[in-house]
Amino acid sequence: MRRISTLFASLCLILTNLSAQTGTISNVDPNPIPGWGAPLSVNPANGFTSSNMDSLGVYPKGQNDELTSPFYYYNGIQSTLYFKYNYSTSNSKATSTSPIITILYGSQSFTFSSPQIKINSGTSDVYFSISPTSLFPSNTNFQIRVTLNLDMNDKAITAMSLTTNAILAGSNAPLPLPVKLVNFSGSVNKNRTQLQWMVAENETARNFEIQRSTNGIDFATAGNVTASTKTGDAQYTFSENVSAERVMYRLKMYDNNYKAEYSKILVFNSSLSTQKSLQVITNPIKEKLIISFNNDVNEAAQVTIYDHTGRTIQKQTLNVASGVNTTTVALNGNYTNGMYIVELATKSTRLSQKVMYSNQ
């Protein structure tokens, strides 16, 4: 069997969507990182689908057909997606076609169209290197669709196997990582709300929807913040003017697979601006402690939680703002069911409140 001759020589792909994206098709191995995985034969049992209802993986002459792969994912952010198909032809006459490659993920996709290429008889690996305009997110399931349009003078092409440097999704594949909210806090001063939050493993986050309510039941979108491309811990902020005496905020956090989770609700009450007291928003507490208080100036504060014997269970330093502050403290694993004392201390103020911990 002769190999495909000088196939797809580093052809630059042109994006058919509005934004310009890049890629190459070649018979030269790009040696990607991560490296190639095991080949997956093209058959229905492996999750392949095709518009050719008669023979999966075969592109007949005189037709426009597409072959769609099973789901894959990367466990890290990718600048380029790599895959290769092993193609087979059985006639000495060259076959010409212009591949269209579509990457499908969630409700989105991006598509590439190449100039015409020629495929001779034989079998060969054809290498595809596709680079979207923005980094492809980690832990995001995607499919590869290759469309070929062969005229009546061409010969059939058969896709024998697909190899990628991604991970095949399936029963043993790990679930996408949820967005990990480390803390969520805020303050209100002169009718201006300032929210700030930090997430761990920021690469799992897609965007944050800030939701506002005045009754704790009906929430409306106050704004949206797109997740950055930073890996590891990342800080975010949001601010707006608000006139309501009592206002509540929560975050709707979307991961890379469009799954959404909600944060705890922060409550701000402008009547606290004339009070010197520590308000515990949720009591009993379980995983997080949410407190609200008024402060006169911008300064550092320390939250300390004691058990009923006076033993220190947890400490956390906060940066508080002038005005009404609401903050969330993630509880460590040192709690048992019972009563605790929460103390907030600044240079000039020491406030305390009793709370009940329950793991029920």
Side-chain angles (χ1 to χ4, degrees):
M1 296 287 291
R2 296 192 302 275
R3 302 187 67 82
I4 300 174
S5 63
T6 320
L7 180 63
F8 301 157
S10 300
L11 298 175
C12 179
L13 295 172
I14 304 171
L15 180 65
T16 59
N17 292 343
L18 294 179
S19 57
Q21 316 222 12
T22 61
T24 59
I25 301 176
S26 173
N27 62 345
V28 177
D29 191 341
N31 295 312
I33 297 175
W36 296 114
L40 191 68
S41 61
V42 176
N43 63 63
N46 285 334
F48 287 88
T49 59
S50 174
S51 58
N52 182 359
M53 303 300 294
D54 297 324
S55 182
L56 181 72
V58 175
Y59 295 93
K61 64 180 181 178
Q63 292 185 207
N64 187 351
D65 290 293
E66 60 187 32
L67 176 64
T68 304
S69 76
F71 283 100
Y72 288 89
Y73 71 96
Y74 290 96
N75 56 18
I77 295 175
Q78 293 297 121
S79 60
T80 303
L81 285 68
Y82 296 94
F83 65 96
K84 60 180 176 179
Y85 265 108
N86 181 264
Y87 287 119
S88 174
T89 60
S90 58
N91 192 285
S92 59
K93 186 175 181 179
T95 296
S96 299
T97 185
S98 299
I100 299 174
I101 301 95
T102 305
I103 304 299
L104 310 163
Y105 62 108
S107 61
Q108 300 189 52
S109 66
F110 51 87
T111 303
F112 304 82
S113 179
S114 84
Q116 191 176 77
I117 54 91
K118 290 184 178 181
I119 302 177
N120 292 328
S121 63
T123 61
S124 181
D125 286 329
V126 180
Y127 299 92
F128 299 79
S129 306
I130 300 175
S131 301
T133 53
S134 58
L135 295 176
F136 192 79
S138 62
N139 300 296
T140 298
N141 288 346
F142 68 93
Q143 292 174 286
I144 302 163
R145 178 173 294 165
V146 177
T147 304
L148 300 180
N149 188 356
L150 306 181
D151 65 32
M152 290 302 297
N153 295 321
D154 292 326
K155 300 300 178 182
I157 301 171
T158 302
M160 306 299 293
S161 64
L162 171 66
T163 307
T164 77
N165 71 333
I167 302 170
L168 181 66
S171 58
N172 296 322
L175 295 175
L177 296 173
V179 181
K180 294 184 178 180
L181 183 65
V182 177
N183 59 58
F184 179 37
S185 60
S187 61
V188 175
N189 187 26
K190 297 180 180 179
N191 294 329
R192 181 121 185 122
T193 301
Q194 179 74 38
L195 303 176
Q196 51 270 334
W197 63 96
M198 184 174 77
V199 297
E201 298 181 16
N202 182 65
E203 59 271 20
T204 66
R206 178 172 294 275
N207 68 282
F208 305 90
E209 180 182 334
I210 300 92
Q211 298 185 342
R212 180 199 328 107
S213 175
T214 56
N215 59 15
I217 299 173
D218 304 309
F219 282 84
T221 300
N224 280 280
V225 174
T226 301
S228 69
T229 57
K230 182 182 178 182
T231 59
D233 295 348
Q235 298 271 3
Y236 295 92
T237 61
F238 173 81
S239 62
E240 67 168 358
N241 292 323
V242 61
S243 58
E245 179 178 334
R246 181 178 170 88
V247 64
M248 285 150 270
Y249 290 92
R250 70 183 181 187
L251 298 175
K252 188 175 184 180
M253 304 172 291
Y254 290 90
D255 66 18
N256 286 319
N257 272 27
Y258 302 91
K259 181 181 177 182
E261 292 187 353
Y262 290 92
S263 71
K264 297 290 186 179
I265 297 172
L266 299 185
V267 181
F268 300 94
N269 194 335
S270 60
S271 63
L272 279 176
S273 61
T274 58
Q275 301 176 11
K276 282 293 184 180
S277 62
L278 181 65
Q279 303 264 329
V280 178
I281 305 301
T282 53
N283 198 2
I285 58 176
K286 184 178 180 180
E287 297 175 349
K288 296 180 180 180
L289 167 70
I290 304 177
I291 56 176
S292 187
F293 56 93
N294 178 57
N295 207 58
D296 294 331
V297 296
N298 299 338
E299 62 180 334
Q302 182 170 273
V303 175
T304 307
I305 303 176
Y306 304 93
D307 66 10
H308 68 283
T309 67
R311 181 170 61 97
T312 299
I313 302 299
Q314 187 173 348
K315 284 186 178 182
Q316 181 168 318
T317 300
L318 309 173
N319 290 319
V320 300
S322 174
V324 178
N325 291 262
T326 300
T327 191
T328 302
V329 177
L331 303 181
N332 59 30
N334 298 327
Y335 293 84
T336 57
N337 292 343
M339 188 71 70
Y340 293 82
I341 301 294
V342 180
E343 181 184 79
L344 174 75
T346 66
K347 290 182 179 180
S348 59
T349 305
R350 190 175 296 270
L351 306 173
S352 63
Q353 188 64 264
K354 292 180 179 179
V355 296
M356 179 69 70
Y357 175 86
S358 175
N359 60 7
Q360 301 301 316

